[in-house]
Amino acid sequence: MTLILKTDIYRGTAWHDAFARYLPDVPVREWSEPGDPNDIEYALVWAPEKGALAKFPNLKAIFSVGAGFDHLTSDPDLPKGVPIVRMVEPGLTAGMIEFVVMSALYHHRFMLDYAAQQRDKVWREIEQIPTSRRRAGILGLGVLGSACAEMLRDFGFPVAGWSRSHKDIAGVESFHGADGLIPFLNRSDILVCLLPLTPETEDILNAEAFAALPRGAALISAGRGKSVVEADLLAALDSGQLGGATLDVYRQEPLPPDSPLWSHPRIVAVPHIASMTIAETAAEAVAANIRRIQAGQDPEHMVDLKRGY
Ligand code: NAP
Ligand code: GLV
């Protein structure tokens, strides 16, 4: 039983140190030195080259380094019948809570306006409003969306979420299904997107969706870039229908230098860093799942490929 890693290089030995702690009996190999491909039963990977996983004939599970797994399903040669497990670990959730709360407060406290005023050396106060008068809405109330919803609720924002199925989260209004989308958007002054990318969620944030938001609403996009029709977003910002946007994910990554998203005055653009998997806590979660599989159980957080997430 061997685990192969294609994680990242900038965290040095953090992944290996963590697996030595949580899976001391399992050999761990680096992607660049796979050895005999027949030995590999588990792969923990981010964006492997297309066709690369097909070279391991004895794989029992493929673990995504991130919560999203579109980097795997976009491989036409992905081994069939091997369970895909998305990343659910406390470090990733905590990072997303930080990013969403920080961004929501940034828009709530008019920081885009103050940044522009600072550039122009303008001293002007904008009337502060309480969080209780700013409604937050989260698209996707899964592991990340529900954790962010609870934290925004605790800051005093009236919070609602939209998902496929109804949710019971204390103090969070639940909207669901196609019929629930427009009423949900109608009441969302700050809209946070934490949807996975599926055929249903691609292009979901389009001109019609932006028009359904209250005038001047803000968007925080941290799910996947292909959920947003970027030309419609720019038009909504230019018309004032949207007051601002924080973008972490884009249709094309890295965002091309000539993209107008870089320089729009009502956009905060960051390079897909909303949250990162933390090696120490993630290795513990992956190790627990490998133990489950070895014991003949299904891993937790297995992707349902028919459903698309
Ligand atoms: P998750 O637990 O699978 O939650 C997905 C949520 O989306 C669920 O609430 C699901 O509804 C809802 N959903 C899916 N399809 C839908 C549809 N057609 N209509 C309505 N709701 C739909 O996923 P997660 O762990 O929270 O992660 C969400 C996404 O965040 C990931 O897929 C990834 O793309 C993104 N992400 C980004 C970063 C970053 O740094 N930017 C970091 C981590 C993750 P049900 O609950 O009813 O099934
Ligand atoms: C990052 O985008 C992730 O899916 O974890």
Side-chain angles (χ1 to χ4, degrees):
M1 183 196 352
T2 297
L3 167 67
I4 193 158
L5 303 184
K6 181 177 186 295
T7 50
D8 51 44
I9 46 164
Y10 60 87
R11 274 177 269 193
T13 60
W15 285 104
H16 288 270
D17 295 347
F19 279 115
R21 185 155 60 250
Y22 295 114
L23 280 180
D25 47 334
V26 175
V28 178
R29 291 190 194 149
E30 265 304 317
W31 194 248
S32 53
E33 292 173 42
D36 182 352
N38 291 302
D39 297 343
I40 307 298
E41 293 189 354
Y42 299 101
L44 170 63
V45 290
W46 183 258
E49 305 81 15
K50 308 267 179 267
L53 287 164
K55 292 178 189 142
F56 303 118
N58 297 319
L59 272 181
K60 289 186 177 161
I62 302 168
F63 294 92
S64 170
V65 172
F69 52 88
D70 37 314
H71 61 102
L72 295 171
T73 46
S74 58
D75 180 353
D77 298 319
L78 189 70
K80 298 217 180 343
V82 178
I84 298 176
V85 183
R86 62 200 182 79
M87 184 58 73
V88 175
E89 65 94 6
L92 185 65
T93 305
M96 189 58 82
I97 293 172
E98 287 174 9
F99 184 81
V100 167
V101 170
M102 169 185 74
S103 303
L105 291 173
Y106 191 87
H107 291 287
H108 171 61
R109 292 299 302 267
F110 307 104
M111 289 307 295
L112 271 174
D113 301 281
Y114 287 122
Q117 287 187 194
Q118 181 180 356
R119 277 192 298 273
D120 297 340
K121 301 183 180 158
V122 171
W123 185 277
R124 184 173 68 89
E125 295 165 15
I126 303 168
E127 188 190 347
Q128 187 182 322
I129 66 168
T131 51
S132 60
R133 282 174 38 207
R134 185 92 67 188
R135 299 158 297 178
I138 317 242
L139 287 162
L141 272 186
V143 170
L144 300 176
S146 56
C148 293
E150 287 175 342
M151 193 61 89
L152 289 173
R153 173 202 65 199
D154 293 349
F155 266 86
F157 294 102
V159 180
W162 182 72
S163 42
R164 276 206 336 171
S165 51
H166 175 83
K167 303 283 168 202
D168 274 314
I169 305 175
V172 176
E173 195 179 354
S174 168
F175 292 81
H176 71 277
D179 293 348
L181 181 60
I182 296 293
F184 161 81
L185 293 171
N186 286 163
R187 49 76 60 214
S188 296
D189 299 311
I190 295 178
L191 179 68
V192 181
C193 185
L194 283 172
L195 287 167
L197 181 64
T198 70
E200 288 79 39
T201 64
E202 184 163 352
D203 295 339
I204 195 167
L205 291 176
N206 53 26
E208 191 192 348
F210 296 135
L213 292 168
R215 190 164 177 81
L219 170 68
I220 299 166
S221 173
R224 281 293 180 264
K226 285 187 179 156
S227 289
V228 179
V229 179
E230 291 172 352
D232 292 358
L233 168 66
L234 287 164
L237 288 165
D238 287 342
S239 71
Q241 170 57 19
L242 274 186
T246 294
L247 307 180
D248 180 58
V249 288
Y250 307 87
R251 297 190 85 88
Q252 188 184 336
E253 295 182 9
L255 185 62
D258 61 351
S259 168
L261 299 174
W262 279 118
S263 50
H264 196 285
R266 304 302 297 178
I267 289 179
V268 175
V270 293
H272 201 141
I273 48 69
S275 186
M276 290 177 197
T277 297
I278 305 295
E280 288 74 12
T281 37
E284 189 174 5
V286 171
N289 252 337
I290 288 179
R291 301 264 179 247
R292 285 176 71 90
I293 298 170
Q294 289 300 113
Q297 297 169 306
D298 280 341
E300 288 184 315
H301 312 300
M302 210 161 96
V303 171
D304 177 343
L305 285 174
K306 266 210 206 99
R307 193 179 61 162
Y309 65 99

